[in-house]
Amino acid sequence: MSRREELAAALTALRQRICDACAAAERPESEVRLLAVTKTFPAADVGLLVDLGLAEFGESRDQEAAPKAAELAELRPAARIRWEMVGRLQRNKARSVARWADVVQSVDSLRLADALARAACERRVPLRVLVQASLDGDPGRGGCPPVELDALVERVAAADGLVLAGVMGLAPLWGEPAPAFEVLARMAERLRRDHPDAVELSAGMSGDLEIAIAHGSTCVRVGTALLGGRPLASS
Ligand SMILES: *Cc1c(COP(=O)(O)O)cnc(C)c1O
């Protein structure tokens, strides 16, 4: 099987999972978008996914994503591609990320929000931002502590150059994802009350996308189930 055939088969299976999960949750499929997380995979794979109809890709490291986005622009010059940063982000990378990313899903501190707002001044269009909420208290996985979330939301909403788009969260590494996604759904609901346009709820990965869709996810971020296994160190 060629890589293209392999990716096509994985994409078909993945779309079926999303479709079944939406049906089970009695939600329209149009409410849930698929973000293909291409970290550790080459630009050639992204090109094949573009050929298969995908246009939104997630990356977790600036050092990897910046050259990959440039390479893809050469490989598929006509494609309209959207890149989203989903990984932990140091403030000193804000300027670089603001050059290649259309969306940053992992904004978890006031200082990072401020750095991105400054960096976004150099952009033609505003940078869309999801605030990442910590659902497991693990500082190594990023995310804003729930008690600080309101302040972060207001900071992003007030920043020139940033558009508050919603909230993102990662299920705990151990234990049941459902209670964490329920907490995240309540945060999203609260956020929409004050900011009706910030409708995005980014939740669910290869292993737990059905549960996330049952809890209102509007964006599943899928790597492994689409592209295959990654070396452990970079997962
Ligand atoms: C890698 C990554 C994903 C994709 O995870 P899979 O389990 O491979 O689907 C999703 N979200 C974030 C933030 C990631 O870093």
Side-chain angles (χ1 to χ4, degrees):
M1 217 192 314
S2 71
R3 182 60 170 156
R4 185 194 155 94
E5 287 165 338
E6 207 172 89
L7 291 173
L11 180 59
T12 301
L14 178 58
R15 286 213 164 112
Q16 190 61 52
R17 278 180 69 189
I18 294 171
C19 174
D20 292 347
C22 286
E26 298 182 8
R27 299 181 56 201
E29 257 193 277
S30 57
E31 273 183 21
V32 182
R33 69 186 177 100
L34 168 61
L35 181 69
V37 178
T38 49
K39 67 188 180 199
T40 77
F41 291 95
D45 278 354
V46 185
L48 293 173
L49 291 174
V50 168
D51 299 342
L52 292 167
L54 296 187
E56 299 175 355
F57 300 99
E59 286 283 332
S60 62
R61 289 172 62 239
D62 173 65
Q63 307 91 295
E64 179 185 343
K68 197 184 290 185
E71 196 180 339
L72 205 74
E74 303 216 327
L75 284 177
R76 297 290 185 280
R80 295 193 54 193
I81 291 164
R82 184 158 105 166
W83 291 99
E84 310 200 10
M85 174 63 173
V86 299
R88 294 215 71 186
L89 174 54
Q90 306 289 334
R91 274 181 306 140
N92 62 6
K93 302 279 197 242
R95 282 188 71 196
S96 175
V97 168
R99 284 189 207 112
W100 59 264
D102 301 286
V103 181
V104 179
Q105 295 208 358
S106 45
V107 176
D108 61 358
S109 73
L110 297 175
R111 296 171 72 190
L112 177 57
D114 291 346
L116 283 170
R118 280 193 299 277
C121 297
E122 294 170 25
R123 294 167 52 91
R124 278 173 293 113
V125 292
L127 188 62
R128 291 173 64 79
V129 161
L130 276 67
V131 291
Q132 182 184 347
S134 171
L135 302 175
D136 57 7
D138 178 350
R141 301 182 78 215
C144 172
V147 294
E148 293 167 21
L149 198 64
D150 283 355
L152 179 58
V153 162
E154 295 316 319
R155 187 77 136 243
V156 170
D160 285 334
L162 303 183
V163 169
L164 177 69
V167 64
M168 185 269 254
L170 298 172
L173 279 176
W174 314 109
E176 290 298 316
F181 287 147
E182 207 171 300
V183 168
L184 187 65
R186 278 200 297 271
M187 292 171 175
E189 201 177 304
R190 218 179 120 91
L191 188 128
R192 284 171 201 169
R193 235 178 7 235
D194 296 335
H195 303 279
D197 293 333
V199 296
E200 190 106 272
L201 200 189
S202 173
M205 323 201 303
S206 292
D208 56 19
L209 66 91
E210 285 85 357
I211 303 166
I213 288 172
H215 288 86
S217 172
T218 65
C219 172
V220 292
R221 309 177 308 268
V222 180
T224 312
L226 186 56
L227 290 130
R230 293 181 294 273
L232 256 190
S234 29
S235 67

PDB file of all heavy atoms in Angstrom, residues 195-216:
ATOM      1  N   HIS A 195     -18.856  35.781  25.898  1.00  0.00           N
ATOM      2  CA  HIS A 195     -18.249  36.022  24.581  1.00  0.00           C
ATOM      3  C   HIS A 195     -18.919  35.101  23.576  1.00  0.00           C
ATOM      4  O   HIS A 195     -18.383  34.039  23.239  1.00  0.00           O
ATOM      5  CB  HIS A 195     -16.738  35.767  24.642  1.00  0.00           C
ATOM      6  CG  HIS A 195     -16.039  36.601  25.668  1.00  0.00           C
ATOM      7  ND1 HIS A 195     -15.675  37.903  25.443  1.00  0.00           N
ATOM      8  CD2 HIS A 195     -15.691  36.324  26.947  1.00  0.00           C
ATOM      9  CE1 HIS A 195     -15.094  38.396  26.535  1.00  0.00           C
ATOM     10  NE2 HIS A 195     -15.104  37.459  27.460  1.00  0.00           N
ATOM     11  N   PRO A 196     -20.065  35.500  23.074  1.00  0.00           N
ATOM     12  CA  PRO A 196     -20.889  34.602  22.257  1.00  0.00           C
ATOM     13  C   PRO A 196     -20.203  34.101  20.972  1.00  0.00           C
ATOM     14  O   PRO A 196     -20.602  33.071  20.441  1.00  0.00           O
ATOM     15  CB  PRO A 196     -22.118  35.452  21.910  1.00  0.00           C
ATOM     16  CG  PRO A 196     -22.088  36.609  22.834  1.00  0.00           C
ATOM     17  CD  PRO A 196     -20.697  36.793  23.315  1.00  0.00           C
ATOM     18  N   ASP A 197     -19.181  34.814  20.498  1.00  0.00           N
ATOM     19  CA  ASP A 197     -18.506  34.356  19.284  1.00  0.00           C
ATOM     20  C   ASP A 197     -17.417  33.317  19.569  1.00  0.00           C
ATOM     21  O   ASP A 197     -16.915  32.677  18.643  1.00  0.00           O
ATOM     22  CB  ASP A 197     -17.864  35.537  18.547  1.00  0.00           C
ATOM     23  CG  ASP A 197     -18.925  36.478  18.010  1.00  0.00           C
ATOM     24  OD1 ASP A 197     -20.058  36.010  17.737  1.00  0.00           O
ATOM     25  OD2 ASP A 197     -18.634  37.686  17.882  1.00  0.00           O
ATOM     26  N   ALA A 198     -17.056  33.162  20.815  1.00  0.00           N
ATOM     27  CA  ALA A 198     -15.969  32.238  21.171  1.00  0.00           C
ATOM     28  C   ALA A 198     -16.549  30.845  21.390  1.00  0.00           C
ATOM     29  O   ALA A 198     -16.661  30.354  22.501  1.00  0.00           O
ATOM     30  CB  ALA A 198     -15.234  32.737  22.413  1.00  0.00           C
ATOM     31  N   VAL A 199     -16.906  30.211  20.270  1.00  0.00           N
ATOM     32  CA  VAL A 199     -17.679  28.965  20.358  1.00  0.00           C
ATOM     33  C   VAL A 199     -16.835  27.697  20.312  1.00  0.00           C
ATOM     34  O   VAL A 199     -17.356  26.605  20.484  1.00  0.00           O
ATOM     35  CB  VAL A 199     -18.728  28.886  19.217  1.00  0.00           C
ATOM     36  CG1 VAL A 199     -19.738  29.991  19.358  1.00  0.00           C
ATOM     37  CG2 VAL A 199     -18.037  28.954  17.862  1.00  0.00           C
ATOM     38  N   GLU A 200     -15.538  27.857  20.078  1.00  0.00           N
ATOM     39  CA  GLU A 200     -14.743  26.647  19.895  1.00  0.00           C
ATOM     40  C   GLU A 200     -14.464  25.926  21.216  1.00  0.00           C
ATOM     41  O   GLU A 200     -14.120  26.539  22.209  1.00  0.00           O
ATOM     42  CB  GLU A 200     -13.417  27.010  19.229  1.00  0.00           C
ATOM     43  CG  GLU A 200     -12.623  25.813  18.764  1.00  0.00           C
ATOM     44  CD  GLU A 200     -12.641  25.621  17.261  1.00  0.00           C
ATOM     45  OE1 GLU A 200     -13.555  24.946  16.754  1.00  0.00           O
ATOM     46  OE2 GLU A 200     -11.742  26.171  16.592  1.00  0.00           O
ATOM     47  N   LEU A 201     -14.659  24.610  21.187  1.00  0.00           N
ATOM     48  CA  LEU A 201     -14.308  23.748  22.323  1.00  0.00           C
ATOM     49  C   LEU A 201     -13.423  22.644  21.750  1.00  0.00           C
ATOM     50  O   LEU A 201     -13.916  21.711  21.129  1.00  0.00           O
ATOM     51  CB  LEU A 201     -15.583  23.150  22.936  1.00  0.00           C
ATOM     52  CG  LEU A 201     -15.545  22.610  24.362  1.00  0.00           C
ATOM     53  CD1 LEU A 201     -16.838  21.867  24.678  1.00  0.00           C
ATOM     54  CD2 LEU A 201     -14.371  21.721  24.661  1.00  0.00           C
ATOM     55  N   SER A 202     -12.109  22.806  21.932  1.00  0.00           N
ATOM     56  CA  SER A 202     -11.168  21.856  21.347  1.00  0.00           C
ATOM     57  C   SER A 202     -10.868  20.765  22.362  1.00  0.00           C
ATOM     58  O   SER A 202     -10.223  21.010  23.384  1.00  0.00           O
ATOM     59  CB  SER A 202      -9.886  22.589  20.928  1.00  0.00           C
ATOM     60  OG  SER A 202      -8.908  21.667  20.498  1.00  0.00           O
ATOM     61  N   ALA A 203     -11.362  19.566  22.085  1.00  0.00           N
ATOM     62  CA  ALA A 203     -11.188  18.449  23.010  1.00  0.00           C
ATOM     63  C   ALA A 203     -11.252  17.150  22.235  1.00  0.00           C
ATOM     64  O   ALA A 203     -12.008  17.030  21.275  1.00  0.00           O
ATOM     65  CB  ALA A 203     -12.274  18.473  24.084  1.00  0.00           C
ATOM     66  N   GLY A 204     -10.458  16.190  22.666  1.00  0.00           N
ATOM     67  CA  GLY A 204     -10.495  14.871  22.052  1.00  0.00           C
ATOM     68  C   GLY A 204      -9.318  14.653  21.131  1.00  0.00           C
ATOM     69  O   GLY A 204      -8.976  15.526  20.326  1.00  0.00           O
ATOM     70  N   MET A 205      -8.687  13.481  21.287  1.00  0.00           N
ATOM     71  CA  MET A 205      -7.566  13.078  20.451  1.00  0.00           C
ATOM     72  C   MET A 205      -7.871  11.661  19.941  1.00  0.00           C
ATOM     73  O   MET A 205      -9.005  11.205  20.020  1.00  0.00           O
ATOM     74  CB  MET A 205      -6.260  13.133  21.249  1.00  0.00           C
ATOM     75  CG  MET A 205      -6.209  14.313  22.220  1.00  0.00           C
ATOM     76  SD  MET A 205      -4.557  14.813  22.759  1.00  0.00           S
ATOM     77  CE  MET A 205      -3.901  13.336  23.476  1.00  0.00           C
ATOM     78  N   SER A 206      -6.851  10.978  19.441  1.00  0.00           N
ATOM     79  CA  SER A 206      -7.093   9.659  18.841  1.00  0.00           C
ATOM     80  C   SER A 206      -7.842   8.707  19.773  1.00  0.00           C
ATOM     81  O   SER A 206      -8.724   7.972  19.339  1.00  0.00           O
ATOM     82  CB  SER A 206      -5.761   9.013  18.445  1.00  0.00           C
ATOM     83  OG  SER A 206      -5.176   9.721  17.392  1.00  0.00           O
ATOM     84  N   GLY A 207      -7.478   8.720  21.066  1.00  0.00           N
ATOM     85  CA  GLY A 207      -8.017   7.718  21.977  1.00  0.00           C
ATOM     86  C   GLY A 207      -9.346   8.076  22.624  1.00  0.00           C
ATOM     87  O   GLY A 207     -10.015   7.198  23.180  1.00  0.00           O
ATOM     88  N   ASP A 208      -9.705   9.349  22.578  1.00  0.00           N
ATOM     89  CA  ASP A 208     -10.874   9.741  23.372  1.00  0.00           C
ATOM     90  C   ASP A 208     -11.821  10.690  22.622  1.00  0.00           C
ATOM     91  O   ASP A 208     -12.623  11.393  23.232  1.00  0.00           O
ATOM     92  CB  ASP A 208     -10.435  10.378  24.700  1.00  0.00           C
ATOM     93  CG  ASP A 208      -9.495  11.562  24.510  1.00  0.00           C
ATOM     94  OD1 ASP A 208      -9.457  12.128  23.403  1.00  0.00           O
ATOM     95  OD2 ASP A 208      -8.802  11.919  25.474  1.00  0.00           O
ATOM     96  N   LEU A 209     -11.745  10.683  21.292  1.00  0.00           N
ATOM     97  CA  LEU A 209     -12.545  11.669  20.550  1.00  0.00           C
ATOM     98  C   LEU A 209     -14.050  11.434  20.693  1.00  0.00           C
ATOM     99  O   LEU A 209     -14.835  12.385  20.690  1.00  0.00           O
ATOM    100  CB  LEU A 209     -12.107  11.745  19.085  1.00  0.00           C
ATOM    101  CG  LEU A 209     -12.325  10.546  18.161  1.00  0.00           C
ATOM    102  CD1 LEU A 209     -13.660  10.634  17.453  1.00  0.00           C
ATOM    103  CD2 LEU A 209     -11.212  10.505  17.118  1.00  0.00           C
ATOM    104  N   GLU A 210     -14.470  10.161  20.835  1.00  0.00           N
ATOM    105  CA  GLU A 210     -15.907   9.895  20.987  1.00  0.00           C
ATOM    106  C   GLU A 210     -16.442  10.531  22.270  1.00  0.00           C
ATOM    107  O   GLU A 210     -17.513  11.144  22.275  1.00  0.00           O
ATOM    108  CB  GLU A 210     -16.182   8.385  21.022  1.00  0.00           C
ATOM    109  CG  GLU A 210     -16.089   7.698  19.655  1.00  0.00           C
ATOM    110  CD  GLU A 210     -14.669   7.278  19.268  1.00  0.00           C
ATOM    111  OE1 GLU A 210     -13.711   7.561  20.034  1.00  0.00           O
ATOM    112  OE2 GLU A 210     -14.517   6.667  18.194  1.00  0.00           O
ATOM    113  N   ILE A 211     -15.657  10.381  23.348  1.00  0.00           N
ATOM    114  CA  ILE A 211     -16.096  10.922  24.638  1.00  0.00           C
ATOM    115  C   ILE A 211     -16.116  12.450  24.570  1.00  0.00           C
ATOM    116  O   ILE A 211     -17.018  13.103  25.090  1.00  0.00           O
ATOM    117  CB  ILE A 211     -15.158  10.425  25.756  1.00  0.00           C
ATOM    118  CG1 ILE A 211     -15.149   8.881  25.759  1.00  0.00           C
ATOM    119  CG2 ILE A 211     -15.596  10.940  27.125  1.00  0.00           C
ATOM    120  CD1 ILE A 211     -14.029   8.285  26.572  1.00  0.00           C
ATOM    121  N   ALA A 212     -15.116  13.012  23.889  1.00  0.00           N
ATOM    122  CA  ALA A 212     -15.061  14.464  23.760  1.00  0.00           C
ATOM    123  C   ALA A 212     -16.252  14.993  22.949  1.00  0.00           C
ATOM    124  O   ALA A 212     -16.853  16.010  23.299  1.00  0.00           O
ATOM    125  CB  ALA A 212     -13.740  14.880  23.109  1.00  0.00           C
ATOM    126  N   ILE A 213     -16.591  14.284  21.883  1.00  0.00           N
ATOM    127  CA  ILE A 213     -17.736  14.716  21.063  1.00  0.00           C
ATOM    128  C   ILE A 213     -19.031  14.612  21.872  1.00  0.00           C
ATOM    129  O   ILE A 213     -19.897  15.487  21.798  1.00  0.00           O
ATOM    130  CB  ILE A 213     -17.795  13.898  19.748  1.00  0.00           C
ATOM    131  CG1 ILE A 213     -16.645  14.346  18.821  1.00  0.00           C
ATOM    132  CG2 ILE A 213     -19.150  14.062  19.051  1.00  0.00           C
ATOM    133  CD1 ILE A 213     -16.467  13.503  17.565  1.00  0.00           C
ATOM    134  N   ALA A 214     -19.123  13.590  22.706  1.00  0.00           N
ATOM    135  CA  ALA A 214     -20.300  13.470  23.573  1.00  0.00           C
ATOM    136  C   ALA A 214     -20.389  14.640  24.552  1.00  0.00           C
ATOM    137  O   ALA A 214     -21.472  14.973  25.031  1.00  0.00           O
ATOM    138  CB  ALA A 214     -20.245  12.149  24.344  1.00  0.00           C
ATOM    139  N   HIS A 215     -19.251  15.273  24.847  1.00  0.00           N
ATOM    140  CA  HIS A 215     -19.228  16.400  25.774  1.00  0.00           C
ATOM    141  C   HIS A 215     -19.095  17.741  25.055  1.00  0.00           C
ATOM    142  O   HIS A 215     -18.650  18.724  25.642  1.00  0.00           O
ATOM    143  CB  HIS A 215     -18.122  16.223  26.809  1.00  0.00           C
ATOM    144  CG  HIS A 215     -18.423  15.151  27.808  1.00  0.00           C
ATOM    145  ND1 HIS A 215     -18.131  13.827  27.591  1.00  0.00           N
ATOM    146  CD2 HIS A 215     -19.060  15.200  29.003  1.00  0.00           C
ATOM    147  CE1 HIS A 215     -18.545  13.105  28.628  1.00  0.00           C
ATOM    148  NE2 HIS A 215     -19.126  13.913  29.492  1.00  0.00           N
ATOM    149  N   GLY A 216     -19.465  17.775  23.787  1.00  0.00           N
ATOM    150  CA  GLY A 216     -19.591  19.071  23.115  1.00  0.00           C
ATOM    151  C   GLY A 216     -18.399  19.544  22.315  1.00  0.00           C
ATOM    152  O   GLY A 216     -18.390  20.687  21.848  1.00  0.00           O
TER     153      GLY A 216
END
